[in-house]
Structures are given as structure tokens and as C-alpha cells.
């Protein structure tokens, strides 16, 4: 029988199989969430990572980051023997049918993304699949700039692609930290950027088993799928820099509040209410990195980066706007004590990657202020950067006690409930800078409240 026919028969068996066996390489907030949700749904799932300590901890039910629901999922999957964690990639690829590649694509100093982990991973995978000699579907989840799948990934597998033993699909994820599990279970869209129709069909078959009722699917080529991901994140970043620019105008108009403007324009269905919260600038492991990668990529084509560069510039300036509010009340001065409430790049995560709190606290230290910090989840990560240069407080009360100024940088729900009385009672002087607009200006009218986007 010709190899092509045997492949066809083999793939037919493969597609018909009810439950494809899943592996995930790279167990960050994306990879681990995907692995756990798959195993909880009954797919045989193996999670692989190069980080031995991470694997050891996962086997003990200890995730190395905070993500709501992850610990319970991990506990359930371990107890029901639904998941396997290993550093052994060979054993994994031989015992699964499709693999999600979720290794890191961190930014380089010049703003482009570092593909070394993706390259390492696909070369390791190729070596192993050459000897597996059975069909395997590879799904690239990591965010890579346009044409990476076509120019970097596919050439590595050209021999196996020709034999029909491998298909590669670029299948971007849209998971938000803090909502990773929810966003996996209820995606707004599935984008399938297949190198071939066949690969896309198999991934759609898998998703049919996974979701039961299929979410909307867009089939396209890998490059289009890569650009959809970048366009999605760049638009979100644009919305945030837009409302921050409006906030910076409101700042100078007495009685004008950006939150009122945001609410009003959000009523226009063409705009929508989400991602119009003015703040200290967007952070996280995706928006800043993806925007900068898109700027670098689009610079190749006749100044198409102009808008994205402006979005990035607004964002880089936003922390200075926050510091200017402290300067405006004469407290950006040596030996003043400032309490910082919130360090994570947003609420419901311990992640401080590209958090604006890092830049702001560095500037506070540079201005020789005494910095006290509190965050429900992110203080251990913050300590890895600032060590004993600042004071870590286990409670809000301890943090704001005897301080000259309190700066709110993350919109944790627990901070939204803080009363004016508490600040008045505990602080040397109740000077509050609300960089997240979570306090009601009317309730705090008796205290000195400065806030992003609030003209006074
Ligand atoms: C990752 C990508 O960084 C991001 O571009 C994509 O959009 C989603 O997946 P994240 O889950 O935050 O985001 O990844 P990260 O926190 O960087 O973790 C990546 C994991 O891959 C780490 O656990 C790392 O140990 C692991 N890894 C890295 C490997 O297993 N193999 C490698 O070769 C490199
Ligand atoms: C983002 C995208 O939302 C997600 O689709 C993609 O897969 C990964 O990147 P994430 O980085 O987890 O998710 O956080 P997100 O909720 O988008 O917030 C990013 C930053 O923007 C945070 O610093 C947040 O505080 C800030 N932000 C968000 C605002 O300042 N204002 C807003 O209205 C919304």
C-alpha cells in the first residue's frame, strides 16, 4: 500500500477517534489553564514544561502563579488522576495525538519578541515526531508575529508535512489573566489558521468534542491568524490609550470626570462600554509586548506603525501623569511616606509583568520617599524586584497608617470598599491619589482626593 494511502487510512482513524489525547508544552497561565480544562473535560492530557521545579510543584498540587480557580482544577484533576505532568517530551508526544505549544515569547530589549523558546520547542518536537511515524497535530498558541508560523515553524516540519504525518495550526488564544478558565470555556471566537485544510478540520473536530456546541469558528491561513491576535490586542491597547488621553484632558477641566464621559460614549453600540476605564497605563505579559512587536513588524511597511506608536507613547507617559498628581499636592519629596495600594498589573492576579507599579515605585524611591506597599497577591513577586528597598505591609491599615499620601494603583475589589473615615483616621494627612478611579469622588469630597481624569 502506498505511504499516502496508509496515511489516509490512518488519519481517517485519527479523525474518527472520539477523544483525541492532548498534550500542552509550556505551563504558564495559558498552558496550564488549557491543560487543566482539557483534563477536567475528560481528555487524556499531559502537561510538559522545561522547568523541573514547576513540574515538581504541579505534581504536589501547587501552581506557581495565582489564577482564580486554577488551584481547585489542579486539585480535582490530580485527585481524579486526570492529568500527568512531566518534563519528558518524547514520552508525551508518543502518547498523545495533538499538542498545544504555549511556551513563552518574551519581549527583547529592542521591542521585538524572542522566538528562542518556540524554536527550541519545535526543533525538539520535530526530532521526536520523526521517529514517531504516526500522525500528530501541532497547535501554536504562543503569540508570534505575523509570518512566524509560515517562515519559522513550517520549514522545520517540511519533511513530515510532505508525508502527511504532521499538520500545524496557528490557533491564537484570547485569555485574560484572572479569567483564563472562563475565557477557555466561553470563547467569543475560535481562529484556526491551518497550514492545510486537513489540519484545520482535525482541530475543528477536536473543538466539537471539547465544546459540544461549537463557538463561532474562523478558518484562515496561519499569517492571518497571527495578525488577528495582534490586531485584537492592539485594538484593546488603543481603547485604553484613547480613554487615558481623554482623562488627561479632563484632569485640567474643573468638575469634569472621565468616568462620566466613558459611561456616555460606551452607550454607543459602535464603541461599547468595555476597556474604557482610565488608569495608570496598561501592563501585563501581553498588551505591552504585543503592541511593541506589532510596531516593530509594521515599521517594515511604509510607516504603518504610526497609530500603534502613538498608543504606546501615551501608555509610556501615563505613569508620569500619576506622579504629577503627587507632585501637584507637594508630596513628591524626600522622606515623605507614601502608601501604595495595589502592585499587580490588574486585579485578580499576582502577575506584575510590565505592571506600571514597577515604574512608579522606582520613581518614588528615586525621589527618596518612604514607600509602603500592599497587594493581596502580588507582594512576593514585587519583593523579587525591590527587595528591602520598600516596606511590605500585610494589611491595608498597616500600609496607610501614618502616611502622607496613599496611591491606589490596582482595582482590587477589597480597595473599592475602603471608607473615607479609615483614611482620615489612619493617615497623617488624608491625601489620596486614585489612579484607578475606584473611589466615589462625592463620598471622598471632604478629603484631598486627586484622581486620574478628575478635574478639580
Ligand atoms: C504564553 C506566551 O508567552 C504568550 O505569548 C502567549 O500569548 C500565551 O502563552 P504565558 O502563559 O504567560 O504566555 O507564558 P509564560 O508565563 O511565559 O510561561 C511559559 C512557560 O513555558 C513557562 O512555564 C516556561 O517554563 C515554559 N517553557 C519555556 C517551556 O516549557 N519550554 C521552553 O522551551 C520555554
Ligand atoms: C490581554 C487581553 O485582554 C487578552 O485577550 C489577551 O489574550 C492577553 O492580553 P490581560 O493582559 O490578561 O489580557 O489583561 P487585560 O484585562 O487585557 O488588561 C491589560 C491591562 O490593561 C491591565 O493593566 C489593565 O489594568 C489595563 N486596562 C484594561 C485598563 O487600564 N483599562 C481598561 O479599561 C481595561
Amino acid at each position: 500500500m502506498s505511504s499516502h494511502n496508509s496515511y489516509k487510512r490512518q488519519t481517517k482513524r485519527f479523525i474518527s477517534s472520539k477523544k483525541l489525547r492532548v498534550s500542552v508544552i509550556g505551563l504558564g497561565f495559558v498552558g496550564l489553564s488549557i491543560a487543566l480544562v482539557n483534563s477536567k473535560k475528560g481528555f487524556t492530557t499531559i502537561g510538559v514544561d522545561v522547568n523541573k521545579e514547576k513540574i515538581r510543584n504541579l505534581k504536589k498540587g501547587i501552581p506557581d502563579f495565582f489564577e482564580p480557580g486554577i488551584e481547585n482544577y489542579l486539585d480535582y484533576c490530580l485527585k481524579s488522576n486526570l492529568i500527568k505532568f512531566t518534563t519528558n517530551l518524547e514520552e508525551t508526544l508518543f502518547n498523545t495525538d495533538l499538542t498545544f505549544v504555549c511556551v513563552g515569547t518574551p519581549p527583547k530589549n529592542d521591542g521585538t519578541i524572542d522566538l528562542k523558546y518556540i524554536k527550541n520547542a519545535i526543533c525538539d518536537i520535530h526530532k521526536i515526531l520523526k521517529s514517531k511515524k504516526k500522525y500528530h497535530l501541532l497547535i501554536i498558541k504562543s503569540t508570534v508575529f505575523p509570518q512566524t508560523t509560515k517562515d519559522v515553524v513550517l520549514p522545520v516540519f517540511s519533511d513530515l508535512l510532505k508525508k502527511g504525518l504532521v499538520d500545524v495550526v496557528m490557533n491564537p488564544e484570547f485569555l485574560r489573566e484572572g479569567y483564563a478558565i472562563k475565557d477557555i470555556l466561553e470563547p467569543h471566537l475560535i481562529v484556526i489558521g491551518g497550514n492545510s485544510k486537513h489540519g484545520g478540520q482535525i482541530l475543528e473536530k477536536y473543538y466539537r468534542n471539547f465544546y459540544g456546541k461549537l463557538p463561532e469558528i474562523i478558518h484562515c491561513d496561519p499569517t492571518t491568524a497571527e495578525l488577528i491576535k495582534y490586531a485584537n490586542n492592539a485594538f484593546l491597547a488603543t481603547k485604553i490609550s484613547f480613554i487615558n488621553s481623554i482623562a488627561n484632558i479632563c484632569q485640567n477641566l474643573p468638575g469634569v470626570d472621565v468616568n462620566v464621559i466613558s459611561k456616555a460614549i460606551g452607550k454607543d453600540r459602535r464603541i461599547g462600554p468595555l476597556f474604557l476605564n482610565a488608569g495608570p497605563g496598561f501592563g501585563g505579559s501581553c498588551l505591552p509586548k504585543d503592541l511593541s512587536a506589532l510596531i516593530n513588524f509594521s515599521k517594515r511597511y511604509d510607516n504603518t506603525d504610526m497609530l500603534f506608536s502613538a498608543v504606546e507613547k501615551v501608555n509610556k507617559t501615563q505613569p508620569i501623569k500619576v506622579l504629577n498628581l503627587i507632585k501637584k499636592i507637594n508630596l513628591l519629596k524626600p522622606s515623605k511616606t507614601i502608601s501604595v495600594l495595589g502592585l499587580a498589573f490588574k486585579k485578580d492576579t499576582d502577575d506584575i509583568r510590565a505592571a506600571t507599579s514597577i515604574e512608579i515605585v522606582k520613581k518614588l524611591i528615586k525621589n527618596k520617599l518612604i514607600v509602603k506597599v500592599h497587594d493581596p497577591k502580588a507582594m512576593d513577586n514585587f519583593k523579587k524586584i525591590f527587595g528591602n528597598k520598600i516596606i511590605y505591609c500585610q494589611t491595608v491599615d498597616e500600609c496607610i497608617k501614618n502616611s502622607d499620601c496613599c496611591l491606589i494603583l490596582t482595582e482590587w475589589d477589597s480597595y473599592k470598599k475602603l471608607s473615607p473615615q479609615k483614611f482620615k483616621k489612619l493617615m497623617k494627612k488624608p491625601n489620596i491619589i486614585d489612579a484607578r478611579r475606584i473611589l466615589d469622588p462625592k463620598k471622598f469630597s471632604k478629603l484631598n482626593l486627586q484622581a486620574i481624569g478628575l478635574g478639580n
Side-chain angles (χ1 to χ4, degrees):
M1 184 189 300
S2 79
S3 61
H4 196 69
N5 287 344
S6 70
Y7 145 65
K8 267 180 144 345
R9 277 165 54 82
Q10 191 203 96
T11 315
K12 225 187 233 71
R13 260 200 317 280
F14 181 91
I15 292 185
S16 63
S17 65
K18 260 313 266 158
K19 286 270 188 203
L20 298 170
R21 298 166 303 163
V22 175
S23 43
V24 180
I25 302 181
L27 300 175
F29 98 93
V30 171
L32 181 60
S33 308
I34 291 176
L36 292 173
V37 175
N38 266 280
S39 40
K40 188 133 187 261
K41 274 185 173 276
F43 288 81
T44 303
T45 308
I46 305 178
V48 193
D49 201 293
V50 288
N51 182 327
K52 290 190 175 61
E53 194 196 349
K54 179 193 280 266
I55 294 297
R56 258 198 313 277
N57 284 331
L58 286 173
K59 285 178 175 175
K60 287 187 275 184
I62 307 163
D64 61 349
F65 56 86
F66 172 73
E67 173 67 33
I70 276 286
E71 203 149 351
N72 300 342
Y73 261 72
L74 179 57
D75 188 44
Y76 176 87
C77 292
L78 287 172
K79 283 205 174 97
S80 334
N81 209 7
L82 286 170
I83 185 135
K84 194 168 177 314
F85 295 111
T86 175
T87 54
N88 184 330
L89 184 57
E90 178 156 13
E91 169 205 324
T92 302
L93 293 178
F94 270 80
N95 293 309
T96 56
D97 309 300
L98 62 86
T99 299
F100 289 103
V101 180
C102 303
V103 297
T105 49
K108 292 203 280 197
N109 294 336
D110 66 358
T112 58
I113 56 163
D114 195 340
L115 291 174
K116 67 171 180 255
Y117 298 131
I118 284 269
K119 288 178 180 167
N120 291 346
I122 57 174
C123 291
D124 294 348
I125 294 167
H126 175 252
K127 244 182 268 150
I128 296 163
L129 290 185
K130 272 181 77 128
S131 50
K132 180 178 179 183
K133 294 196 175 54
K134 274 172 97 185
Y135 182 80
H136 200 98
L137 180 62
L138 267 190
I139 301 137
I140 308 296
K141 275 280 178 199
S142 298
T143 303
V144 287
F145 56 79
Q147 300 181 312
T148 301
T149 303
K150 178 171 80 66
D151 298 343
V152 176
V153 180
L154 291 177
V156 169
F157 293 95
S158 55
D159 54 344
L160 300 177
L161 287 161
K162 264 191 225 108
K163 290 181 195 146
L165 286 171
V166 155
D167 277 308
V168 176
V169 184
M170 198 309 129
N171 172 223
E173 46 72 32
F174 301 94
L175 311 186
R176 295 163 295 163
E177 290 199 23
Y179 304 86
I181 293 172
K182 183 178 180 332
D183 289 347
I184 291 173
L185 294 173
E186 301 157 20
H188 65 277
L189 175 74
I190 293 178
V191 175
I192 295 183
N195 67 298
S196 69
K197 201 158 161 285
H198 178 254
Q201 275 171 344
I202 295 197
L203 187 57
E204 179 166 333
K205 166 87 188 157
Y206 155 78
Y207 277 125
R208 200 179 301 284
N209 285 345
F210 183 90
Y211 287 108
K213 186 175 175 310
L214 259 183
E216 187 177 350
I217 290 189
I218 287 186
H219 283 278
C220 57
D221 66 283
T223 303
T224 300
E226 288 157 342
L227 192 51
I228 287 171
K229 171 69 184 172
Y230 275 102
N232 205 98
N233 272 2
F235 187 79
L236 295 171
T238 303
K239 254 190 131 174
I240 296 165
S241 282
F242 170 81
I243 200 63
N244 283 339
S245 300
I246 296 292
N248 296 336
I249 296 171
C250 297
Q251 202 88 44
N252 302 289
L253 306 173
V256 176
D257 184 346
V258 68
N259 282 3
V260 175
I261 295 173
S262 162
K263 187 161 181 274
I265 67 172
K267 296 287 181 201
D268 182 327
R269 281 193 300 280
R270 296 166 301 176
I271 296 173
L274 301 178
F275 271 66
L276 284 176
N277 303 320
F282 55 81
S285 67
C286 291
L287 291 198
K289 165 186 80 135
D290 294 353
L291 181 65
S292 139
L294 183 60
I295 289 167
N296 277 281
F297 181 77
S298 54
K299 273 195 159 84
R300 305 177 193 177
Y301 310 109
D302 187 24
N303 285 337
T304 47
D305 68 293
M306 286 188 289
L307 172 66
F308 312 133
S309 298
V311 169
E312 184 176 68
K313 196 164 171 220
V314 167
N315 198 55
K316 285 189 169 155
T317 313
Q318 208 54 16
I320 299 163
K321 303 288 180 195
V322 174
L323 291 161
N324 288 345
L325 286 174
I326 306 170
K327 204 182 278 180
K328 180 180 157 192
I329 54 175
N330 292 319
L331 290 174
L332 195 65
K333 282 180 174 158
S335 73
K336 290 295 179 191
T337 302
I338 185 159
S339 317
V340 179
L341 295 185
L343 303 172
F345 82 95
K346 66 172 187 173
K347 73 171 185 170
D348 297 339
T349 179
D350 62 353
D351 199 343
I352 59 167
R353 287 179 286 186
T356 45
S357 56
I358 296 172
E359 154 104 22
I360 289 170
V361 168
K362 276 182 181 162
K363 289 265 182 5
L364 294 173
I365 293 169
K366 197 155 169 262
N367 282 280
K368 299 186 177 21
L369 280 88
I370 298 159
V371 183
K372 298 168 78 180
V373 298
H374 174 270
D375 186 287
K377 294 287 178 189
M379 279 202 286
D380 289 347
N381 286 331
F382 217 69
K383 215 172 265 181
K384 291 173 193 159
I385 299 177
F386 290 94
N388 56 12
K389 289 195 195 114
I390 56 179
I391 302 158
Y392 303 89
C393 304
Q394 291 314 312
T395 65
V396 170
D397 287 23
E398 186 195 333
C399 190
I400 64 178
K401 195 166 172 44
N402 295 333
S403 75
D404 298 293
C405 181
C406 176
L407 169 59
I408 300 175
L409 281 183
T410 309
E411 71 289 11
W412 286 102
D413 290 341
S414 53
Y415 298 159
K416 293 174 185 169
K417 301 178 190 120
L418 293 172
S419 69
Q421 293 71 19
K422 181 183 278 286
F423 290 98
K424 199 162 166 38
K425 182 165 150 272
L426 292 170
M427 292 179 72
K428 225 181 272 171
K429 281 257 184 347
N431 298 301
I432 304 157
I433 312 276
D434 179 2
R436 283 292 188 167
R437 301 306 320 273
I438 56 175
L439 302 178
D440 176 353
K442 291 190 196 67
K443 270 178 68 181
F444 283 75
S445 59
K446 297 261 183 311
L447 310 185
N448 179 15
L449 174 73
Q450 303 293 321
I452 285 284
L454 184 66
N456 57 14

